[in-house]
Amino acid sequence: MSKTQTLPDFDWDKADNRGFGSGYSDEERNRLSELYDNTLAQVNEKEVVIGTVVGITDREVILNIGFKSDGLVPASEFRDLPDMKIGDEVEVYVENQEDPNGQLVLSRKKAKVITAWQKIQRALDEDLVIEGFVKRRTKGGLIVDIYSIEAFLPGSQIDVKPIRDFDVFVGKKMEVKVVKINYANDNVVVSHKVLIEKDLEAQRQQILNNLQKGQVLEGVIKNMTNFGVFIDLGGVDGLLHITDISWGRISHPSELLHLDQKVNVVVLDFDEDKKRISLGMKQLQAHPWDSLQEGLQIGSKVKGRIVNVADYGAFLEIMPGVEGLIHVSEMSWSQHLRNPQDFLKVGDEVEAVVLTLDRNDRKMSLGIKQLTADPWSRPELVEKYAIGTKHKGVVRNLTNFGLFLELEEGIDGLVHVSDLSWTKKIKHPSDFIKVGEELEVIVLELDVENRRLALGHKQLEENPWDTFESVFTPGSVHRCTILSKNDKVATLELPYGIEGFAALKNLQKEDGSWADVGETVDFKVIEFSKEEKRIMLSHSKTWQEKGEDRKPEKRQAVAKAPATSSKEPERATLGDLDALAALKEQMEGRSSKGE
């Protein structure tokens, strides 16, 4: 017979059928909850936290960030950590504590970006030096990777000296400083130059403290302009002006120098306040004038190259640093000064004669015309330009009193305004002829000693006033045209193209009206002066005197008959008509040539 075990009585009243964990008292429940909460970290969304790698698969990395669940991150975001293993800690960004599937969503990519910007901002705030990787070159500079953020390094911020080949920096690491951040455009600007400048500051200050005039330094040409070159003296720049490069004349520094060239220079001047240094290179060599040959003197012939042409002359370089001025008046025997560029241009190789030489002031004047004989010294000149000989020349200059005519190179003559025409009163030569035109003349006077030649144009013809004296006799009537009027007199055109004058009061017509400009009416000669070449006439006299004696007015016969006449004019003899016809022919021929 088996023994029966007696179990203690079960207290069914204490039994609770509400489920697992429901048998804890409030005190016990709070204690257990506190123990559990202490095992979890406080995690907020949209922030970067540290996670521990607890699992690695081909596609994902499992991270524990101390939250109630682990997070999954694509393995592609850890390509930069090929040696990552379980237990490593990495920064991740909490995107979502719980997605629709109840999964914690993390991102290492976003964590890297946020952390990078935080580091960049810290580098700017604290003026830190950071290391970057030059990925590629771009327009105006380089793209540098810092904390996986692409930053721009301008070409001017690479080095203290100009960089002409950016490609040498691509693929290399470089220390930089952040100088500007633009969050709106996700733009970062960095500089490597500031690091170099800081290193050079002490060196620059040392150079400036020891700098003095006359000191010879070695430098490197860092920049070149049309007015000179800038030379790096080891942290401080100096200007070598183009005029201090060579004793000879150059148009651009590149003719003798090139970029990155090492040169020796001497300190010419130094401004401590503005820290400006003027340098010289030619001063390291002796002045060429000091080595000028002793045999060179006034009258010597020299050869050289034209290095400059100005309005007043040209400069001839006979050796580097030694120049002489050829004044425009010494380029040709012609008394008519022209533009020096009509004779010479830069680069011409010419020969000249030394006219003046001052070795102390280092000045020299030269001449080209002296290579040929003075045309006024030729023995045949007196015979060639004897008084009465006829010549043709070119008008070179016009003045109020006449014109200068060039008969040949170096031989000019003056034609006075009064010697241009027998019949017209010419106020200015420009009314008769223009510069550059040819004119036929006759020699009136020759003075070889004073280089003067007086010429005349009207003397090529006989003086028509000898004939006019018998044609325009006082009392004779002629058909005239009124050319112009002023306050006192009117100018008339008489037959044969000569001019006469009439007082305004003598323009009244018989009907009481007044003759005006452009009208052609009869005029009576009231005064004739052969010496002054003046004829005074009156229209009023033609009808006033008729009324007094009622006699027909005598009109002098002329080659050009009047258009209308109420009275029969006095007839001229056959000889007078022949002479006047010949004179008219001569005057018309002269008019077609010059007037």
Side-chain angles (χ1 to χ4, degrees):
M1 181 174 173
S2 63
K3 294 182 179 180
T4 302
Q5 184 179 3
T6 304
L7 295 175
D9 295 336
F10 181 76
D11 189 355
W12 293 97
D13 293 332
K14 293 182 179 181
D16 189 353
N17 57 359
R18 287 178 295 178
F20 175 77
S22 58
Y24 295 98
S25 64
D26 292 338
E27 183 181 353
E28 293 175 326
R29 192 186 310 281
N30 291 335
R31 185 171 56 82
L32 291 174
S33 177
E34 185 178 350
L35 292 173
Y36 178 71
D37 290 340
N38 288 336
T39 63
L40 300 177
Q42 182 65 33
V43 176
N44 297 320
E45 292 184 354
K46 313 302 179 187
E47 73 175 11
V48 178
V49 297
I50 300 296
T52 303
V53 178
V54 295
I56 300 176
T57 67
D58 294 338
R59 300 181 57 184
E60 295 172 327
V61 175
I62 305 171
L63 295 170
N64 176 18
I65 63 172
F67 196 54
K68 60 183 180 180
S69 63
D70 293 336
L72 301 179
V73 180
S76 60
E77 295 188 16
F78 295 89
R79 289 175 180 171
D80 59 325
L81 299 175
D83 298 329
M84 185 183 62
K85 60 186 180 299
I86 294 176
D88 289 348
E89 292 184 344
V90 293
E91 290 182 336
V92 290
Y93 176 75
V94 181
E95 291 193 75
N96 197 338
Q97 291 182 348
E98 190 174 353
D99 65 4
N101 297 324
Q103 180 66 48
L104 173 65
V105 180
L106 304 175
S107 172
R108 182 169 180 269
K109 181 178 180 181
K110 291 184 178 180
K112 288 173 62 179
V113 172
I114 294 174
T115 302
W117 281 105
Q118 291 174 347
K119 292 180 179 179
I120 291 172
Q121 183 64 54
R122 179 171 171 265
L124 176 63
D125 296 339
E126 300 179 11
D127 195 29
L128 301 177
V129 178
I130 55 179
E131 188 178 79
F133 178 78
V134 181
K135 297 177 63 175
R136 63 183 183 279
R137 68 167 297 173
T138 186
K139 183 179 180 181
L142 301 170
I143 298 299
V144 181
D145 185 314
I146 51 175
Y147 306 126
S148 300
I149 300 294
E150 289 189 348
F152 177 59
L153 174 59
S156 60
Q157 293 298 315
I158 298 176
D159 204 337
V160 291
K161 59 183 180 181
I163 301 299
R164 285 169 285 279
D165 184 11
F166 293 168
D167 291 330
V168 297
F169 298 98
V170 177
K172 297 179 181 178
K173 292 182 179 180
M174 180 183 293
E175 288 186 335
V176 294
K177 276 189 177 182
V178 179
V179 295
K180 184 179 179 181
I181 299 176
N182 187 339
Y183 285 104
N185 299 325
D186 290 340
N187 185 26
V188 181
V189 180
V190 295
S191 171
H192 178 68
K193 177 181 177 181
V194 294
L195 301 177
I196 302 176
E197 288 179 333
K198 186 175 181 180
D199 295 338
L200 291 176
E201 185 60 34
Q203 183 179 351
R204 179 187 296 112
Q205 196 58 47
Q206 182 180 2
I207 294 175
L208 295 176
N209 292 338
N210 298 328
L211 202 62
Q212 53 185 328
K213 292 183 181 180
Q215 184 178 5
V216 178
L217 302 172
E218 184 182 68
V220 178
I221 298 176
K222 62 180 293 187
N223 194 18
M224 189 173 293
T225 67
N226 56 356
F227 58 84
V229 296
F230 289 94
I231 298 180
D232 183 0
L233 301 174
V236 61
D237 292 346
L239 173 62
L240 173 61
H241 197 270
I242 186 172
T243 56
D244 291 314
I245 294 176
S246 169
W247 289 115
R249 192 187 295 255
I250 59 175
S251 57
H252 195 275
S254 59
E255 296 177 18
L256 299 176
L257 304 172
H258 57 82
L259 292 172
D260 300 327
Q261 179 181 352
K262 286 186 178 181
V263 292
N264 289 327
V265 290
V266 60
V267 178
L268 302 179
D269 197 6
F270 172 51
D271 188 334
E272 294 184 5
D273 296 331
K274 298 181 180 179
K275 295 185 179 180
R276 292 181 179 175
I277 305 174
S278 297
L279 305 173
M281 183 181 292
K282 70 181 184 182
Q283 289 79 5
L284 297 175
Q285 302 173 352
H287 198 290
W289 272 87
D290 298 335
S291 59
L292 198 62
Q293 56 184 345
E294 292 295 332
L296 188 67
Q297 55 187 354
I298 295 176
S300 299
K301 293 182 180 180
V302 294
K303 291 183 179 180
R305 179 177 64 92
I306 300 296
V307 292
N308 188 31
V309 179
D311 294 336
Y312 52 86
F315 290 91
L316 182 71
E317 184 182 62
I318 62 175
M319 61 183 291
V322 179
E323 298 176 5
L325 172 64
I326 307 174
H327 194 269
V328 63
S329 61
E330 304 299 339
M331 294 181 180
S332 169
W333 287 111
S334 174
Q335 298 178 14
H336 168 65
L337 298 181
R338 286 174 280 182
N339 192 320
Q341 294 181 351
D342 296 338
F343 299 95
L344 301 168
K345 62 180 183 295
V346 175
D348 285 350
E349 300 284 343
V350 298
E351 187 178 22
V353 175
V354 178
L355 304 181
T356 64
L357 179 63
D358 189 337
R359 294 179 181 269
N360 294 328
D361 291 339
R362 294 169 177 171
K363 292 182 180 180
M364 180 192 310
S365 62
L366 307 171
I368 295 179
K369 70 181 184 182
Q370 288 76 9
L371 295 171
T372 58
D374 183 355
W376 281 93
S377 64
R378 299 199 311 258
E380 69 272 14
L381 188 73
V382 176
E383 183 179 350
K384 181 176 181 180
Y385 294 104
I387 295 175
T389 55
K390 296 179 181 180
H391 304 275
K392 185 177 290 186
V394 179
V395 178
R396 291 301 186 190
N397 191 23
L398 300 178
T399 66
N400 291 329
F401 55 84
L403 60 88
F404 288 93
L405 197 72
E406 186 179 53
L407 302 178
E408 62 176 274
E409 185 76 17
I411 303 295
D412 288 0
L414 171 65
V415 183
H416 196 271
V417 66
S418 61
D419 291 320
L420 290 174
S421 174
W422 288 111
T423 58
K424 289 187 176 180
K425 288 193 175 181
I426 301 172
K427 296 181 180 179
H428 193 276
S430 60
D431 300 331
F432 183 83
I433 199 167
K434 295 180 177 60
V435 174
E437 293 182 349
E438 286 190 342
L439 184 67
E440 192 174 1
V441 292
I442 189 171
V443 177
L444 303 180
E445 181 185 348
L446 175 63
D447 185 350
V448 177
E449 184 177 349
N450 294 313
R451 297 170 179 261
R452 292 178 181 174
L453 188 62
L455 308 171
H457 173 68
K458 70 180 184 181
Q459 289 79 2
L460 293 171
E461 304 165 350
E462 294 183 3
N463 188 352
W465 285 89
D466 294 337
T467 305
F468 292 159
E469 188 176 19
S470 62
V471 175
F472 299 102
T473 57
S476 61
V477 178
H478 304 273
R479 198 73 171 169
C480 305
T481 301
I482 302 176
L483 298 178
S484 62
K485 291 193 301 183
N486 57 27
D487 295 341
K488 295 181 179 180
V489 298
T491 303
L492 313 175
E493 182 183 15
L494 282 70
Y496 314 115
I498 65 173
E499 292 181 348
F501 303 94
L504 296 183
K505 65 180 182 179
N506 292 327
L507 297 181
Q508 187 177 17
K509 297 181 180 179
E510 190 173 2
D511 59 3
S513 62
W514 298 83
D516 204 352
V517 175
E519 289 191 56
T520 302
V521 294
D522 286 342
F523 280 84
K524 177 179 285 189
V525 178
I526 59 176
E527 180 187 344
F528 179 89
S529 175
K530 176 181 176 182
E531 291 75 15
E532 298 180 5
K533 298 180 177 57
R534 185 182 67 213
I535 305 175
M536 298 299 297
L537 305 102
S538 171
H539 171 70
S540 301
K541 294 285 186 183
T542 61
W543 56 268
Q544 287 174 349
E545 294 180 359
K546 288 180 183 179
E548 294 174 1
D549 53 17
R550 295 295 179 183
K551 293 181 180 180
E553 189 69 42
K554 293 184 179 180
R555 179 181 296 169
Q556 182 67 35
V558 295
K560 183 189 286 186
T564 57
S565 177
S566 58
K567 302 293 182 180
E568 182 69 24
E570 182 180 335
R571 295 189 179 274
T573 64
L574 183 59
D576 289 339
L577 291 175
D578 289 343
L580 291 173
L583 177 61
K584 178 182 178 183
E585 242 182 74
Q586 186 180 14
M587 298 284 291
E588 288 177 350
R590 177 175 55 78
S591 235
S592 63
K593 290 178 183 178
E595 302 179 6

